């Protein structure tokens, strides 16, 4: 085992000074004067020494040209303003709309990730609801990012949820079917919001869902959080992009698979939304984003668009080839296998740039495997669950990185399974949770803490999420049931759960009246 590990480390991609252990950025306080240390900068400088199967997926040319320390003044009048789409930004956004196949629509860059993009769109939705009057609601998939829930709360937009599809064996949220969505639409539904594809790259039958919604009620606005799909327009082997499928609002994280640096995002407004609401959208954008946006980041997104439009197909073909190579190797390893998305009835298609592994040996633990890969080999995974791992094939992954990762994973699995934590029987999430109050109503109510195992029937006074992928398991205003308690109890002491009591022994609830 030790000899094999030594051999693998000698073939590590990157600098020759890497010898298996992570850089000493863990030592935050250096010897001597504390103020001579730069812990965040030290970590930043070591990023390139990692084998990253995780975000951000940045094009090499963009990384070389992007200098976050460079100047870029928003005060130069000749350049115009990003917020109001003036000056050079009007042409920049026009080029983006063309490249991302947003025919006759408006596309707009942002510098705060899809978190910022969702905040802007919920402000716009609240304006639409206020202007139209009456009862208006958003119908949303449950697996939306936390920024959707927070934006709905802050803008006081009421939200209903489609039933949850969850695979308990692998700990995965699954996309809804067309019937799941259509059956929940009522006279109050003004917006349907889906997060597609899922974190693991699984997609619903998006075109069919959109077509059926429009046949049922053409006034309904269709909003797709396509954070993981910025690369879709550039290769026909990938999923259909949401804007091509007929969505009205689409937000994409350009730093995930789009080739741009962290926090880069783009929002697409379809032609009908552009014609009806562009002025209001720009007002929402100006009031909900920083006036001091990053000029270098916008420039990097512009360069990313140029490269992806001209060379994206070929680069994504290489990316998919390395993903296939990795998948083929995993199929011959003991104790793990590839997750086959076609076995899930609600999955219509999937993103082949993502490699999802399942621990077939119940004694193996995805969290431990991911930790060992990073600690001993500097291989970083995108997401880990107790029984699954997600590898994101990025633009920095090549043949050498793929071969190195295969060897590293084989050697990690050579560790006896008894060295890993035994796995308990996985528990399922409830398909539906009763909502007693909207989150913005519950936020202002009196609260108290009670033992989690004694909270059945009480109304939650907090949001509990798992990150990644940033999905809320329970929200303020929802009624806690026994199935939800069982699931949360099974997740105690997991690092990626966020709650007011991180041990999950207590939960905040609304005081009973």
């Amino acid at each position: 085992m030790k000899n094999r590990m030594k051999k693998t480390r000698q073939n590590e991609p990157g600098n020759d000074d890497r010898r298996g252990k992570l850089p000493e950025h863990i030592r935050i306080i250096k010897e001597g004067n504390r103020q001579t240390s730069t812990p965040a900068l030290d970590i930043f400088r070591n990023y390139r020494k990692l084998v990253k199967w995780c975000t951000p997926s940045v094009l090499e040319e963009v990384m070389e040209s992007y200098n976050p320390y460079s100047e870029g003044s928003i005060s130069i009048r000749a350049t115009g303003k990003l917020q109001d789409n003036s000056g050079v930004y009007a042409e920049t956004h026009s080029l983006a709309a063309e490249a991302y196949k947003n025919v006759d629509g408006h596309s707009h860059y942002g510098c705060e990730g899809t978190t910022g993009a969702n905040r802007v769109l919920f402000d716009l939705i609240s304006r639409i609801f206020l202007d139209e009057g009456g009862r208006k609601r958003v119908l949303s998939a449950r697996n939306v990012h936390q920024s959707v829930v927070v934006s709905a709360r802050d803008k006081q937009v009421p939200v209903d949820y489609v039933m949850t599809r969850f695979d308990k064996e692998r700990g995965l949220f699954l996309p809804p079917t067309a019937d799941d969505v259509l059956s929940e639409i009522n006279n109050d539904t003004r917006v349907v919001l889906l997060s597609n594809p899922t974190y693991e790259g699984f997609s619903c039958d998006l075109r069919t869902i959109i077509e059926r919604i429009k046949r049922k009620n053409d006034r309904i606005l269709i909003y797709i959080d396509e954070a993981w799909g910025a690369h879709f327009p550039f290769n026909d082997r990938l999923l259909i992009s949401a804007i091509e499928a007929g969505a009205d609002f689409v937000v994409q994280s350009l730093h995930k698979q789009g080739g741009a640096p962290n926090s880069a995002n783009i929002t697409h407004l379809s032609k009908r939304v552009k014609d009806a609401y562009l002025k209001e959208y720009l007002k929402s954008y100006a009031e909900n984003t920083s006036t001091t946006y990053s000029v270098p980041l916008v420039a990097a997104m512009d360069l990313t668009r140029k490269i992806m439009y001209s060379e994206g197909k070929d680069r994504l073909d290489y990316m998919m080839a390395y993903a296939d190579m990795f998948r083929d190797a995993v199929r011959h390893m003991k104790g793990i296998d590839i997750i086959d998305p076609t076995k899930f009835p609600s999955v219509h298609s999937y993103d082949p740039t993502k490699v999802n592994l399942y621990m077939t040996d119940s004694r193996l633990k995805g969290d431990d495997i991911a930790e060992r890969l990073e600690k001993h080999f500097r291989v970083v995974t995108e997401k880990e669950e107790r029984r699954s791992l997600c590898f994101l094939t990025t633009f920095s992954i090549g043949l050498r990185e793929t071969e190195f990762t295969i060897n590293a994973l084989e050697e990690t699995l050579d560790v006896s399974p008894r060295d890993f934590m035994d796995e308990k029987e996985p528990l399922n999430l409830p398909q539906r949770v009763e909502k007693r109050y909207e989150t913005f109503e519950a936020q202002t109510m009196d609260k108290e803490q009670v033992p989690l195992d004694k909270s059945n029937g009480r109304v939650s006074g907090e949001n509990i999420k798992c990150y990644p992928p940033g999905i809320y398991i329970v929200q303020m205003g929802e009624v806690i049931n026994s199935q939800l308690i069982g699931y949360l109890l099974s997740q105690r002491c997991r690092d990626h759960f966020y709650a007011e009591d991180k041990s999950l022994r207590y939960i905040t609830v609304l005081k009973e009246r």
Side-chain angles (χ1 to χ4, degrees):
M1 172 66 180
K2 290 183 178 179
N3 290 335
R4 290 190 63 191
M5 291 179 71
K6 182 177 180 181
K7 180 179 179 182
T8 299
R9 290 171 185 157
Q10 288 173 347
N11 295 321
E12 282 182 308
N15 295 338
D16 292 334
D17 62 346
R18 291 159 48 188
R19 290 293 180 263
K21 293 184 179 180
L22 284 171
E24 289 297 324
H25 60 253
I26 303 302
R27 285 184 56 194
I28 299 300
I29 301 177
K30 296 183 178 181
E31 296 179 3
N33 189 339
R34 277 172 48 87
Q35 295 305 318
T36 64
S37 65
T38 54
L41 181 61
D42 293 345
I43 294 175
F44 178 74
R45 285 171 171 166
N46 280 290
Y47 277 167
R48 287 202 172 194
K49 297 181 179 181
L50 302 173
V51 180
K52 298 189 294 290
W53 294 80
C54 61
T55 57
S57 178
V58 187
L59 293 163
E60 188 65 27
E61 300 94 321
V62 174
M63 182 61 73
E64 290 174 355
S65 67
Y66 175 62
N67 181 2
Y69 308 116
S70 64
E71 293 184 5
S73 175
I74 63 171
S75 300
I76 301 174
R77 294 178 180 86
T79 60
K81 299 290 185 184
L82 182 67
Q83 285 94 336
D84 61 13
N85 195 41
S86 61
V88 298
Y89 295 113
E91 177 65 9
T92 301
H93 289 145
S94 175
L95 289 166
E98 179 183 342
Y100 288 91
K101 301 183 179 179
N102 185 11
V103 180
D104 297 325
H106 174 73
S107 298
H108 208 105
Y109 289 126
C111 302
E112 300 174 43
T114 48
T115 293
N118 285 325
R119 183 172 62 248
V120 170
L121 286 182
F122 265 88
D123 186 78
L124 174 60
I125 290 169
S126 70
R127 292 172 187 267
I128 294 172
F129 285 10
L130 182 64
D131 182 62
E132 294 179 349
R135 290 171 55 86
K136 301 289 190 299
R137 303 184 68 84
V138 172
L139 176 65
S140 174
R142 184 76 190 193
N143 67 323
V144 289
H145 188 259
Q146 63 188 32
S147 60
V148 168
V149 178
V150 172
S151 297
R153 179 197 68 197
D154 292 347
K155 304 302 178 181
Q156 297 194 4
V157 174
V159 179
D160 299 317
Y161 289 101
V162 177
M163 65 169 279
T164 301
R165 288 185 176 268
F166 183 76
D167 177 63
K168 68 175 184 178
E169 294 294 329
R170 299 158 186 83
L172 308 178
F173 283 89
L174 300 173
T177 66
D179 288 340
D180 292 342
V181 178
L182 271 292
S183 64
E184 301 288 347
I185 292 177
N186 57 46
N187 293 334
D188 296 334
T189 305
R190 186 67 174 90
V191 176
V192 171
L193 193 166
L194 301 176
S195 181
N196 194 75
T198 67
Y199 207 103
E200 291 74 26
F202 302 159
S203 174
C204 62
D205 188 352
L206 189 59
R207 190 193 291 274
T208 296
I209 290 176
I210 292 174
E211 289 175 349
R212 288 183 60 183
I213 291 173
K214 289 184 176 181
R215 286 200 300 268
K216 184 165 185 173
N217 184 348
D218 189 48
R219 290 194 70 252
I220 291 176
L221 299 173
I222 300 166
Y223 175 172
I224 307 298
D225 186 338
E226 197 175 44
W228 292 100
H231 54 312
F232 293 165
F234 303 106
N235 193 301
D236 291 339
R237 293 170 58 194
L238 297 172
L239 308 178
I240 184 172
S241 67
I243 201 69
E244 291 181 274
D248 294 298
F249 302 115
V250 180
V251 297
Q252 295 173 328
S253 291
L254 295 183
H255 70 270
K256 286 186 166 65
Q257 284 286 71
N262 270 326
S263 297
N265 79 77
I266 189 167
T267 299
H268 306 291
L269 310 183
S270 70
K271 183 182 185 303
R272 76 163 178 166
V273 169
K274 169 191 170 185
D275 292 345
Y277 302 116
L278 179 58
K279 183 178 179 180
E280 289 298 311
Y281 169 78
L282 293 177
K283 186 183 295 185
S284 292
Y285 189 99
E287 293 181 0
N288 289 273
T289 61
S290 172
T291 56
T292 311
Y293 49 85
S294 171
V295 175
L297 182 56
V298 178
M301 289 186 273
D302 194 29
L303 177 58
T304 298
R305 181 267 315 159
K306 174 186 175 181
I307 296 172
M308 291 300 291
Y309 184 78
S310 59
E311 303 176 24
K313 180 184 182 302
D314 291 339
R315 298 197 183 205
L316 290 166
D317 279 338
Y318 279 112
M319 183 184 288
M320 287 184 276
Y322 296 132
D324 287 340
M325 176 181 174
F326 187 24
R327 267 188 289 269
D328 289 343
V330 168
R331 290 190 177 98
H332 296 91
M333 297 182 190
K334 293 181 179 180
I336 61 173
D337 201 357
I338 296 295
I339 295 176
D340 181 2
T342 63
K343 293 183 177 180
F344 303 115
S346 67
V347 176
H348 175 263
S349 49
Y350 62 94
D351 180 359
T353 69
K354 289 192 172 183
V355 181
N356 295 289
L357 313 186
Y358 172 55
M359 313 297 114
T360 56
D361 186 334
S362 62
R363 295 171 296 176
L364 295 177
K365 188 167 176 278
D367 309 62
D368 283 337
I369 293 174
E371 182 179 351
R372 291 176 186 231
L373 284 173
E374 183 171 343
K375 179 178 180 181
H376 297 294
F377 303 102
R378 303 184 184 211
V379 173
V380 185
T381 61
E382 174 58 37
K383 175 175 174 277
E384 62 277 348
E385 296 288 342
R386 289 191 173 185
R387 300 294 296 279
S388 62
L389 285 170
C390 178
F391 289 78
L392 174 68
T393 316
T394 64
F395 288 109
S396 66
I397 294 295
L399 178 61
R400 189 178 182 188
E401 287 79 11
T402 305
E403 291 176 338
F404 177 79
T405 301
I406 291 169
N407 291 333
L409 182 57
E410 286 178 334
E411 293 178 20
T412 300
L413 293 173
D414 276 348
V415 176
S416 173
R418 66 176 175 269
D419 290 343
F420 293 92
M421 184 181 296
D422 288 340
E423 178 62 43
K424 297 179 180 178
E425 177 66 23
L427 298 176
N428 214 341
L429 280 171
Q431 288 190 329
R432 298 182 186 278
V433 179
E434 178 190 348
K435 177 184 282 190
R436 187 75 52 82
Y437 304 102
E438 298 293 340
T439 54
F440 54 83
E441 295 172 328
Q443 186 179 23
T444 62
M445 296 180 179
D446 293 333
K447 303 173 180 67
E448 62 182 347
Q449 278 201 330
V450 300
L452 176 59
D453 57 3
K454 305 293 184 183
S455 64
N456 189 32
R458 299 294 298 270
V459 179
S460 177
E462 66 171 302
N463 296 321
I464 298 178
K465 70 179 179 183
C466 54
Y467 189 90
I471 295 172
Y472 284 118
I473 303 301
V474 62
Q475 298 178 25
M476 283 189 287
E478 293 182 334
V479 178
I480 302 164
N481 59 38
S482 58
Q483 191 174 10
L484 188 58
I485 292 171
Y487 178 80
L488 291 174
L489 288 173
S490 72
Q491 303 298 315
R492 277 181 172 171
C493 301
R494 296 211 62 197
D495 291 338
H496 71 304
F497 262 81
Y498 292 79
E500 291 185 15
D501 174 22
K502 298 186 183 303
S503 70
L504 290 178
R505 298 186 182 281
Y506 291 86
I507 187 169
T508 300
V509 298
L510 302 184
K511 285 187 176 180
E512 294 179 328
R513 297 180 177 180

